[in-house]
Structure formats: structure tokens, C-alpha cells
């Protein structure tokens, strides 16, 4: 989103940028403000969203917000307990075991993402038309370390009855081999 505002290849001065729900984040609003344009997200389900109350019995404090206030209150203790995996580069948690569990969960998430990011291109590259289009340089540039399709903010719904329609092709079938530099292939090992 920011890249499009900064490098749109025209002389037009951008003063507002629309984005979908996934583009709405504290970081996005901060950068938009610093760069001098308004971030205008289209928020999915904004009509049904409700704000939690800071504490019970405070409904009259904000009468103008009554239509969007939930009857639920913010669980401040839960937020204090689970806010942030890391602080100043150090894992947070009440003890070493909870820190380790947090880091293992993060590692599992990263590993799963790399696995899916390997399966997606592998599935596409199993089609002959794509195999013929890729050059050696294209194959060398393939990496499972992309994340533009990841939504780090917003709402997540897990449906265990749905899955990615990936045809798990055998590793030997039409998948690029390991990368080797031209100089490494010419140097004898030993």
C-alpha cells in the first residue's frame, strides 16, 4: 500500500489512499500520517462490529457510542498477561517455560508458513506451461520466504473442513532442484 503511494509513476500528489480491511493497522495509519496522506480503509463487517466497554457500568459515559458499544467489557488482566511475545528483543512471560512455549509456537508458525509457501509454487510449477516459461534465473530466484499473502492483523477464522487445493506432487516430478552457484559446480569437493 505504501509502495503504491510513493512510487506510482505519475505527477499526481496523493492525499488519500484506500485499502481493504487488511491494510488497516496502527502501523499503516502511522506511516500514512508521517508521509502526509490519509489512510481510508474499507473495513469488512464494520456495521456489525461492537466496541468492548473499558469497565462495567460505564455505558452512560459515552452516549454517542451507545449504538456500537457491546455489553462485554475489556479483560485488562488477560491483555496484561498475553500482550506481546517479545519486549526489547527479549521474550516476555512469567517464567522461562512460558517464554519457551511462546518461542516454540512462533517457530511452528514460521515452519508451517514456509511449508505452505513451498507447496504453493510446487503446485503451480507442476503444470507444464509454467515449467516452460521459467528460465534458470527464475528458478534460482524461487524462495519459500515470501509473506505478502499473510494477514498479520484482523480476523481469522479456521475451518478444519476446508483446505488448500494442492495436488501434492512427488518431489521428483517437475520441481526445481536445489540451487547451486555456477562457481560451486566447477570447484571439486574434497
Amino acid at each position: 500500500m505504501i509502495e503504491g503511494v510513493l512510487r506510482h509513476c505519475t505527477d499526481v500528489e496523493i492525499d488519500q489512499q484506500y485499502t481493504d480491511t487488511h491494510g488497516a493497522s496502527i502501523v499503516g495509519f502511522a506511516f500514512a500520517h508521517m508521509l502526509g496522506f490519509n489512510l481510508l480503509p474499507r473495513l469488512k463487517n464494520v456495521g456489525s462490529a461492537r466496541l468492548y466497554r473499558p469497565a462495567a457500568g460505564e455505558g452512560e459515559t459515552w452516549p454517542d457510542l451507545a449504538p456500537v458499544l457491546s455489553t462485554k467489557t475489556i479483560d485488562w488482566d488477560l491483555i496484561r498477561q498475553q500482550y506481546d511475545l517479545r519486549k526489547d528483543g527479549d521474550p516476555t512471560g512469567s517464567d522461562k517455560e512460558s517464554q519457551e512455549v511462546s518461542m516454540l509456537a512462533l517457530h511452528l508458525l514460521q515452519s508451517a508458513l514456509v511449508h505452505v509457501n513451498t507447496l504453493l509454487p510446487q503446485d503451480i510449477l507442476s503444470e507444464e506451461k509454467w515449467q516452460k516459461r521459467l528460465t534458470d534465473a527464475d528458478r534460482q530466484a524461487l524462495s519459500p520466504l515470501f509473506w505478502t499473502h499473510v494477514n498479520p492483523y484482523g480476523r481469522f477464522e479456521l475451518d478444519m473442513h476446508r483446505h488448500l487445493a494442492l495436488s501434492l506432487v512427488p518431489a521428483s516430478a517437475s520441481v526445481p532442484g536445489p540451487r547451486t552457484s555456477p562457481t560451486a559446480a566447477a570447484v571439486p569437493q574434497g
Side-chain angles (χ1 to χ4, degrees):
M1 181 262 310
I2 302 279
E3 186 76 18
V5 172
L6 297 177
R7 295 187 178 91
H8 52 84
C9 300
T10 71
D11 293 332
V12 176
E13 188 170 323
I14 305 295
D15 62 351
Q16 55 189 7
Q17 173 69 23
Y18 291 91
T19 183
D20 61 10
T21 301
H22 306 299
S25 69
I26 302 275
V27 173
F29 282 109
F31 273 102
H33 179 73
M34 289 188 312
L35 294 169
F37 66 91
N38 293 316
L39 180 60
L40 305 171
R42 295 177 292 271
L43 301 174
K44 184 178 181 180
N45 299 328
V46 71
S48 61
R50 297 292 175 255
L51 302 174
Y52 278 49
R53 298 170 188 265
E58 293 189 9
E60 296 76 33
T61 308
W62 303 282
D64 293 337
L65 292 177
V68 296
L69 284 177
S70 169
T71 56
K72 299 177 182 177
T73 58
I74 297 171
D75 187 343
W76 294 107
D77 290 331
L78 181 64
I79 291 172
R80 275 192 280 296
Q81 180 185 40
Q82 299 190 9
Y83 183 78
D84 205 1
L85 286 174
R86 300 181 67 81
K87 181 175 170 53
D88 300 325
D90 298 322
T92 60
S94 57
D95 56 29
K96 190 171 180 91
E97 184 180 353
S98 65
Q99 293 174 1
E100 186 176 325
V101 168
S102 294
M103 295 312 295
L104 289 171
L106 183 58
H107 181 71
L108 177 62
L109 178 63
Q110 290 170 331
S111 297
L113 182 61
V114 168
H115 180 68
V116 169
N117 286 354
T118 302
L119 294 176
L120 291 170
Q122 179 177 309
D123 192 52
I124 292 168
L125 294 175
S126 68
E127 298 176 24
E128 189 174 338
K129 70 177 182 179
W130 290 109
Q131 293 171 22
K132 291 179 180 178
R133 284 189 72 171
L134 290 180
T135 65
D136 287 340
D138 293 331
R139 285 185 177 80
Q140 288 178 351
L142 289 175
S143 169
L145 303 177
F146 59 93
W147 58 275
T148 54
H149 61 297
V150 175
N151 171 16
Y153 311 104
R155 183 177 175 157
F156 297 90
E157 293 182 18
L158 181 63
D159 183 349
M160 296 301 288
H161 300 291
R162 294 182 54 198
H163 58 85
L164 291 173
L166 297 173
S167 58
L168 300 175
V169 295
S172 61
S174 314
V175 178
R179 295 184 208 165
T180 57
S181 68
T183 55
V187 176
Q189 301 294 321

